[in-house]
Amino acid sequence: MTSVQVDKQHDGTDGAVGGGEGYQRGLGARQIQMIAIGGAIGTGLFLGAGKAIHKAGPSLILAYAIAGLVIFFIMRALGELLMYRPVSGSFSEYAREFVGPFAGFVTGWTYWLFWVVTGITEVTAAATYMTYWWDIPQWVSALVFTVILYGANLISVKLFGELEFWFSMVKVTAIIGMILICAGILTVGFSDAGDTATVAHLWNQGGFFPNGVGSTLMTLQIVMFAFLAVELVGVTAGESKDPKTVLPKAINTVPWRIAVFYVGALIMILSVVPWTEFQPGVSPFVAAFEKMGLGVGAAIVNFVVLTAALSSCNSGMYSTGRMLRDLSLNGQGPKVFTKLTKSGIPLLGTTFSAALMLVGVWINYVAPGKAFEYVVSFATISGMWAWIMILVCQIRYRAKANRGELPESSFKAPGAPYTSWFALAFIIMVIVMMGIDEGARVSLYCAPVWGLLLGVSYLVLKSRNPEGAAFAKRS
């Protein structure tokens, strides 16, 4: 890499930052804000919360609050890095610079795999939700959704942003509506749940920790999975119209997003309906509407969950193409993925990833067994790897900036590096909990296999080009 290229990277204002040559800055403040909001609201909340409530009871509220604080620390660490150098490669670029070329290689390919796997599960889930209204083959819906989202991602980054804006708007409106309905039931007493609704439900059925603190700790993996994708705002850095202004504002909305959409929504739902009436595999939002006697609510929530799944798949197609291009530009992926369309879209990288998502849907159709579930479980650990790299890179960047070796960021993470160390320790604790939980342990079995595959691939690439810039640590 030449010194001119390094200067451009550190400047963080050029459209070609961080190897992102050719991207168009088509994402405005409105779209970035909703991408940031939508990233924190997905099927993990709409569906996964049912299983977590069954395990932990009302104490799940505390689990989401603590995990939300950790997510805020992670996002502020990412924000500090983004203001130092806003790049489309994001975590992969930072890992390459502050840890080493192999770390960048692993981070880029792991985050790519995370979104491919997530895209597979979400488009399949979306097809399943369609059967609520129409009795059509699941693969037909999956194919239609994949083609539509793929086409939208190929037109322009602005269209991607618009889709995410409206997907997120649906999710946000639904949760706010649920909170207002629950508040009305608690104060006015309408609906079938009006006579029994009370905040005392939060401690009356066995206390705040009905199944013990241990059971609450075991839900942390579910809780953290619900927050996966909140870091996607970092991938949009190279295509934001004004990253220096827009990204800090989006990141600073994390606390109130979590407070309202997770903590607030759960407090309201568990106050109206006792936690003992929720079951795993059933959306707590659907269950709550049924208990209230508001039957139309089930259809509404089904539509909302459908949009949440499509939003996640849409994000997957967006991020996978960018991550593949970043890897290719740095000599750590096939060169063919570096090509962009005239509108600045990584056509081949997006196409390759979308094709793999279709293969996953086909596998799920012909053999929906345990093997597919094992692949899906890998999403959590691969997603948390990106968080680990963000924190490690921020700690190393801050140390260099304090020594005067690098320019200071205009958006410093408060309390760092201590908050970053705390967040790292928390993630490690969650991984330990996953190892204890028999149902989640399989994801830890997959990680070494993936790591071995990446290690071998990296050595092969390095042997073919031992003097290449892709294998020289940046300074």
Side-chain angles (χ1 to χ4, degrees):
M1 175 174 290
T2 66
S3 60
V4 174
Q5 288 174 308
V6 172
D7 289 341
K8 276 187 176 184
Q9 285 188 327
H10 288 176
D11 174 69
T13 57
D14 196 302
V17 291
E21 296 87 347
Y23 286 127
Q24 296 183 0
R25 294 192 179 276
L27 297 176
R30 173 179 62 90
Q31 295 161 326
I32 293 292
Q33 285 285 354
M34 291 306 288
I35 287 172
I37 292 173
I41 308 171
T43 52
L45 171 63
F46 288 116
L47 293 177
K51 181 179 179 180
I53 291 171
H54 183 74
K55 275 189 174 184
S59 63
L60 181 65
I61 297 169
L62 180 61
Y64 271 115
I66 295 174
L69 179 63
V70 171
I71 294 299
F72 178 62
F73 291 155
I74 294 171
M75 292 302 293
R76 283 305 300 260
L78 175 59
E80 183 168 334
L81 292 168
L82 288 171
M83 292 305 99
Y84 151 68
R85 187 160 67 90
V87 289
S88 291
S90 199
F91 344 110
S92 180
E93 277 288 319
Y94 301 135
R96 199 173 290 121
E97 177 177 356
F98 293 108
V99 183
F102 181 62
F105 179 81
V106 171
T107 302
W109 281 107
T110 300
Y111 198 65
W112 169 81
L113 179 67
F114 161 68
W115 274 113
V116 169
V117 172
T118 300
I120 289 171
T121 60
E122 297 292 10
V123 77
T124 303
T128 303
Y129 303 145
M130 287 297 292
T131 61
Y132 181 89
W133 294 292
W134 294 287
D135 184 19
I136 57 177
Q138 186 172 310
W139 69 269
V140 173
S141 297
L143 178 62
V144 171
F145 287 142
T146 303
V147 170
I148 290 174
L149 294 177
Y150 168 69
N153 270 270
L154 294 189
I155 295 174
S156 70
V157 67
K158 186 175 182 180
L159 181 57
F160 158 77
E162 280 300 308
L163 277 175
E164 278 306 290
F165 176 85
W166 290 108
F167 281 148
S168 297
M169 184 66 75
V170 169
K171 293 185 285 187
V172 169
T173 303
I175 294 181
I176 292 177
M178 166 66 93
I179 291 174
L180 292 176
I181 290 172
C182 289
I185 293 172
L186 286 168
T187 54
V188 181
F190 68 90
S191 87
D192 293 349
D195 294 335
T196 58
T198 170
V199 291
H201 285 324
L202 299 179
W203 56 82
N204 275 352
Q205 278 77 29
F208 191 68
F209 293 92
N211 297 322
V213 176
S215 294
T216 304
L217 290 175
M218 294 303 289
T219 65
L220 287 177
Q221 54 176 308
I222 302 173
V223 171
M224 295 301 274
F225 176 77
F227 287 124
L228 289 175
V230 69
E231 76 291 330
L232 180 66
V233 68
V235 183
T236 67
E239 294 171 275
S240 302
K241 290 181 180 178
D242 185 11
K244 293 283 186 180
T245 302
V246 173
L247 294 176
K249 288 182 178 179
I251 289 171
N252 277 335
T253 63
V254 170
W256 72 259
R257 279 187 271 145
I258 292 171
V260 173
F261 300 126
Y262 281 87
V263 177
L266 284 175
I267 288 175
M268 287 298 182
I269 288 176
L270 296 178
S271 295
V272 172
V273 181
W275 73 271
T276 52
E277 298 190 28
F278 293 99
Q279 298 297 322
V282 178
S283 169
F285 290 83
V286 174
F289 272 120
E290 289 177 347
K291 297 296 180 183
M292 297 172 196
L294 305 174
V296 69
I300 294 173
V301 171
N302 192 73
F303 174 73
V304 172
V305 175
L306 171 64
T307 61
L310 293 177
S311 170
S312 185
C313 188
N314 188 41
S315 297
M317 288 192 184
Y318 170 84
S319 59
T320 50
R322 273 75 181 168
M323 199 57 67
L324 281 180
R325 184 168 188 259
D326 175 72
L327 287 162
S328 301
L329 285 170
N330 285 279
Q332 296 183 337
K335 291 183 179 180
V336 69
F337 292 139
T338 62
K339 297 179 181 179
L340 292 176
T341 64
K342 291 182 179 180
S343 57
I345 303 298
L347 172 62
L348 294 179
T350 303
T351 301
F352 176 69
S353 302
L356 287 182
M357 291 179 190
L358 280 177
V359 170
V361 172
W362 177 78
I363 292 173
N364 189 51
Y365 172 72
V366 299
K370 286 289 183 180
F372 186 78
E373 293 178 14
Y374 292 163
V375 173
V376 172
S377 69
F378 183 70
T380 304
I381 194 70
S382 59
M384 286 197 295
W385 174 260
W387 294 347
I388 291 172
M389 278 295 102
I390 289 169
L391 294 166
V392 170
C393 291
Q394 187 272 336
I395 290 170
R396 294 198 170 191
Y397 161 70
R398 175 66 73 88
K400 285 192 172 187
N402 288 342
R403 294 195 298 266
E405 298 174 14
L406 290 174
E408 290 191 353
S409 172
S410 60
F411 189 53
K412 288 186 177 181
Y418 305 108
T419 51
S420 296
W421 282 114
F422 172 77
L424 270 176
F426 187 87
I427 293 174
I428 292 171
M429 182 186 71
V430 173
I431 294 174
V432 171
M433 293 295 104
M434 291 175 68
I436 296 174
D437 188 335
E438 186 177 351
R441 197 179 302 155
V442 65
S443 60
L444 300 184
Y445 297 153
C446 295
V449 176
W450 176 244
L452 179 63
L453 178 62
L454 289 178
V456 172
S457 301
Y458 182 81
L459 291 175
V460 170
L461 286 173
K462 189 173 183 179
S463 67
R464 292 179 177 177
N465 187 20
E467 302 301 324
F471 307 101
K473 186 173 180 179
R474 299 178 181 179
S475 59

